[in-house]
Amino acid sequence: MSELKPVPMSVKSPMDSTYQITLAVGDAQVEIPDRKANSYWIVVIDRTTLKPVYNQVHTNPDTAPDIGPYDADNYMLVVCSVALGTGYVPQGAFYDFLYGAGAGTQLDRIIQVNQQIGCGEVGKMSYILVGLLGPGRPNTPGIELAQTEYSASGPILTIQLIPADISGTVVYTPSRMGN
C-alpha cells in the first residue's frame, strides 16, 4: 500500500442564505440539496471512501434527523447551519443528537448567547460540527466552530482527515487544524 496522506476538509457556514455554503473533501465538493435559511445541512460521510451516503437539509431544531443505518462507527457526521436565526438553535432531540456525535462547548455557546442575550442583539449565528457516529458516543469529541459576530459569508472550519490502515482497510478520522 502506498504512503497514506491526510485529506483536507473545509466546511463554510454562511450567516446569509445568499452566500456560498461549502463542504469540500479533498478535491470533491458536496452539493447542498436545498438552501434554506434557519436550517442545518446534514451530511454523513463513509470513513473509508470519503463519499457522502446521506445528504439532507434539516429544518426542525427540536427533532433529530433520521440517519437510519448510518449511525455506525464507519461514518462521520458533518452539520453546517445556514443563515441560522437565534430562534432556531438546537434543542430537545436535535441537541441530544448533536451532543451524541461530539458537540460540546461551541454548541453550548450559541445556546447560551440565545438564552441570555437573545435575538434583539444577535440576529444570526453559525454552527459547524464534524464528528463520528456509532457506539461509544459521546466519548469522542467532535470538531466544532460557532460564530455569533455577524459576517454574511460566515466562518470556515478547516480540518484534516487522518488515514489509518486497519486490517487492510484505510479509515479516515477528522483531526483539528489550527483554526
Side-chain angles (χ1 to χ4, degrees):
M1 184 174 288
S2 64
E3 180 182 336
L4 299 176
K5 295 182 180 180
V7 174
M9 175 188 274
S10 297
V11 187
K12 182 176 172 293
S13 172
M15 295 177 105
D16 183 311
S17 62
T18 62
Y19 278 72
Q20 178 181 353
I21 184 168
T22 303
L23 171 54
V25 181
D27 294 333
Q29 294 272 338
V30 180
E31 297 296 322
I32 186 169
D34 188 15
R35 182 190 308 238
K36 295 179 182 177
N38 297 313
S39 67
Y40 297 86
W41 182 23
I42 299 176
V43 180
V44 176
I45 297 174
D46 184 297
R47 292 178 63 198
T48 60
T49 66
L50 296 182
K51 303 288 184 208
V53 295
Y54 179 96
N55 182 358
Q56 298 292 321
V57 173
H58 186 72
T59 57
N60 189 335
D62 297 347
T63 63
D66 181 9
I67 61 171
Y70 305 118
D71 192 7
D73 59 9
N74 50 331
Y75 298 103
M76 72 179 89
L77 176 72
V78 179
V79 176
C80 181
S81 67
V82 181
L84 190 64
T86 55
Y88 295 89
V89 296
Q91 50 200 322
F94 189 43
Y95 175 88
D96 293 342
F97 170 79
L98 294 174
Y99 231 82
T105 58
Q106 294 295 297
L107 178 58
D108 289 340
R109 179 176 181 265
I110 65 169
I111 290 169
Q112 180 175 328
V113 167
N114 178 53
Q115 291 172 342
Q116 294 189 321
I117 298 173
C119 64
E121 188 71 24
V122 179
K124 295 287 183 186
M125 298 180 168
S126 183
Y127 180 71
I128 302 169
L129 167 67
V130 178
L132 299 178
L133 293 167
R137 298 178 299 145
N139 296 330
T140 305
I143 301 169
E144 306 173 281
L145 182 61
Q147 183 172 317
T148 57
E149 302 79 25
Y150 186 76
S151 164
S153 63
I156 301 170
L157 177 67
T158 55
I159 64 174
Q160 293 286 310
L161 302 174
I162 306 300
D165 185 331
I166 301 174
S167 301
T169 300
V170 177
V171 177
Y172 292 87
T173 301
S175 177
R176 180 174 297 280
M177 292 179 69
N179 284 316

